[in-house]
Amino acid sequence: MTDEGWFAGLDPEDHGAAVTRIREGQAETSADWPRVAVEQGFAGNRDEYYDRLHEVTVAAAREAAGERERAADRQLVHAVRAMDDCREQANELAERLSEWAGSLDDDAGTGVDYARELAAQDPETPGDRRVVSLARRVVGLDEEADDLERFVETTAPEVAPNLTMLAGPVLAARLISLAGGLESLAKKPSGTVQVLGAEDALFAHLRGDAPSPKHGLIYTHEAVHGTRPEDRGSASRALAGKLSIAARIDHYSGDRRPDLQAELDERIAAIQARGDDDA
Amino acid sequence: MRDLPHGVERRTIDGAEGLATQGEPVYGEPESDGWRRWDPHRSKLGAMLELGMDTGLDGGERVLYLGAAAGTTVSHVADFSGPTYAVEFAPRPIRDLLDAAESRDRLFPLLKDARKPETYAHVVEPVDVLVQDVATRGQADVALANRQFLADEGRLLLAVKARSEDVTADPEDVFDDVVTDLESDYEVLERERLEPFHADHLGVVARPR
């Protein structure tokens, strides 16, 4: 680390290099930079220095903010989609595997856990070798999904801290993914958030074939599936309302609002208490 | 009550009297005759002035503002101050801060982490006033880490958010802890709760030791 100002050795006309210095430079201690800049001939006087500083700090902040925004929520969306794909593929291949293994062994099991058992075996015949190799692919995909989930767990709180606090990292990421980004999620009315992921049921309803869906993806949230069926409509409406507020705060202000969690808990407890009264 | 800094006045705007500064409007605040309302409900520093705390501000100072967020408060600060460095780490709110900086040529936005002063010490000059409003844990540590920017006769104007340190603890205990930590490097001149403008916030005026 040096103790030089951002302008040290820069050509005053080189805007791009100056922006990079603002973004990436460091110094151990501060100094009277306007005076130093004038002494070093970077600027003719203080006012000229400040004019340049204004120009490059605005450009640097704009550039850095744009990069960080695009990077973070796109990464999260890709990761959660890849995670879901890996799980789905692992399950599908596990089915194929247990069908094949069942033709060789009457005691063959099913699912990814069975694939894990098979993967640990030492194959003897060429047929066994293929089955065991396939099992190892299944296990590999499942482990990849686990790693992706861990990545989602660390990224979601950075992208959307309040939404993640209320929904948990995976549901938060899936909502952002389905909406097509945090910004689009923040712009959706809470009624839409409530049925995100239930598009088939929603369109059936709009055609007049079915009742309106009470919940989509958010069904997986404890506040909804932990509520008795009669009250799930209220619970999912209340949850969707808070999730929408959380997404808006995350997108527009970036502030943390721990109070949202208490408000949601209180609301859900009141809804769940209705059932206790009847009992 | 101490006089307001030069460039801050009580004006009647839209039929209501309150603090105001002169500058381009930023967030839809009421304005008239080139003056715009500085709402103490939306600004901790505004609340400190409204409550009559002795901030030592005179107008025209060099300012380092930590936790500028969307620029609501820092836009008013830049209206009555000299060169104003605004540090904010979240990329989304900084877009609004950039709008505020558009019409304020001595407001310098920095997308930096206030916990890492070495990442902006090559840009920020020593200042007369350090304003801090960061909603993270370790608010005293941030003030201590940025002490190096403050001139010997300068002032730290700090808003402490109790809930950022500990949601469950009694705010008064949190404030005592933060003030105790501060006192290793600062002399605390005044502390006051920011109610009714901001719940569970403490305003602190301090000077470097």
Side-chain angles (χ1 to χ4, degrees), chain B residues 98-151:
Chain B
L98 287 170
D99 290 341
E102 203 74 33
S103 63
R104 292 172 175 81
D105 61 4
R106 294 299 177 259
L107 174 56
F108 312 113
L110 295 164
L111 184 70
K112 305 280 181 182
D113 186 343
R115 291 167 299 187
K116 297 175 184 159
E118 71 277 10
T119 61
Y120 49 86
H122 66 308
V123 181
V124 177
E125 64 187 295
V127 295
D128 310 302
V129 182
L130 178 61
V131 185
Q132 181 183 320
D133 179 13
V134 297
T136 62
R137 253 181 127 91
Q139 295 168 94
D141 293 339
V142 172
L144 293 169
N146 286 275
R147 153 78 176 77
Q148 56 156 313
F149 294 105
L150 199 50

Side-chain angles (χ1 to χ4, degrees), chain B residues 39-59:
Chain B
D39 184 352
H41 291 278
R42 297 187 59 162
S43 164
K44 279 105 195 186
L45 185 61
M48 288 170 75
L49 288 170
E50 188 70 59
L51 291 166
M53 291 183 76
D54 187 355
T55 59
L57 287 169
D58 188 40

Side-chain angles (χ1 to χ4, degrees), chain A:
Chain A
M1 218 182 306
T2 69
D3 274 325
E4 291 184 324
W6 59 275
F7 45 81
L10 273 188
D11 173 356
E13 303 301 315
D14 193 346
H15 181 77
V19 168
T20 306
R21 282 282 186 82
I22 297 282
R23 290 187 57 185
E24 295 169 10
Q26 295 207 344
E28 196 86 55
T29 50
S30 162
D32 187 352
W33 300 127
R35 188 178 52 80
V36 177
V38 173
E39 279 171 9
Q40 293 181 355
F42 178 75
N45 54 49
R46 277 184 175 256
D47 273 340
E48 200 181 296
Y49 170 78
Y50 284 133
D51 288 344
R52 292 218 170 109
L53 181 63
H54 185 259
E55 194 187 319
V56 296
T57 51
V58 166
R62 179 165 288 131
E63 197 180 281
E67 274 175 27
R68 285 218 348 233
E69 272 181 27
R70 280 191 299 278
D73 76 343
R74 295 319 302 165
Q75 293 301 302
L76 182 63
V77 167
H78 283 304
V80 78
R81 287 179 184 171
M83 178 189 101
D84 285 341
D85 287 350
C86 283
R87 290 244 191 272
E88 203 183 304
Q89 299 298 328
N91 285 323
E92 206 164 306
L93 280 176
E95 260 178 61
R96 163 72 52 227
L97 181 72
S98 73
E99 244 181 77
W100 189 350
S103 71
L104 298 168
D105 174 5
D106 290 340
D107 296 329
T110 55
V112 175
D113 287 339
Y114 176 61
R116 213 172 287 278
E117 272 174 42
L118 271 185
Q121 288 181 7
D122 245 343
E124 281 160 22
T125 66
D128 285 352
R129 232 193 312 279
R130 298 300 5 119
V131 170
V132 170
S133 170
L134 185 60
R136 287 175 183 156
R137 306 284 163 175
V138 172
V139 172
L141 275 174
D142 190 57
E143 284 171 357
E144 187 58 39
D146 290 342
D147 288 346
L148 285 163
E149 185 163 350
R150 275 189 287 279
F151 178 76
V152 167
E153 282 166 359
T154 56
T155 311
E158 289 165 18
V159 171
N162 294 292
L163 185 68
T164 303
M165 172 183 70
L166 296 186
V170 172
L171 178 56
R174 287 208 177 105
L175 288 169
I176 293 170
S177 161
L178 268 184
L182 180 58
E183 180 172 4
S184 6
L185 183 64
K187 288 180 173 164
K188 291 197 188 304
S190 88
T192 304
V193 175
Q194 190 183 337
V195 296
L196 267 182
E199 282 72 16
D200 290 348
L202 181 64
F203 289 121
H205 166 65
L206 294 176
R207 280 196 308 270
D209 297 343
S212 72
K214 289 197 288 287
H215 37 63
L217 214 48
I218 64 169
Y219 176 77
T220 57
H221 195 286
E222 169 65 26
V224 180
H225 75 249
T227 296
R228 60 184 199 142
E230 302 91 292
D231 289 326
R232 277 184 194 155
S234 311
S236 55
R237 205 156 46 243
L239 175 63
K242 291 296 178 209
L243 295 179
S244 299
I245 292 169
R248 284 170 204 165
I249 297 168
D250 288 335
H251 175 64
Y252 292 105
S253 91
D255 232 15
R256 272 150 221 258
R257 304 272 177 85
D259 315 16
L260 278 174
Q261 182 75 61
E263 288 169 28
L264 174 67
D265 293 347
E266 206 174 297
R267 184 80 193 96
I268 296 300
I271 290 168
Q272 293 182 343
R274 288 181 201 163
D276 301 343
D277 294 344
D278 300 347

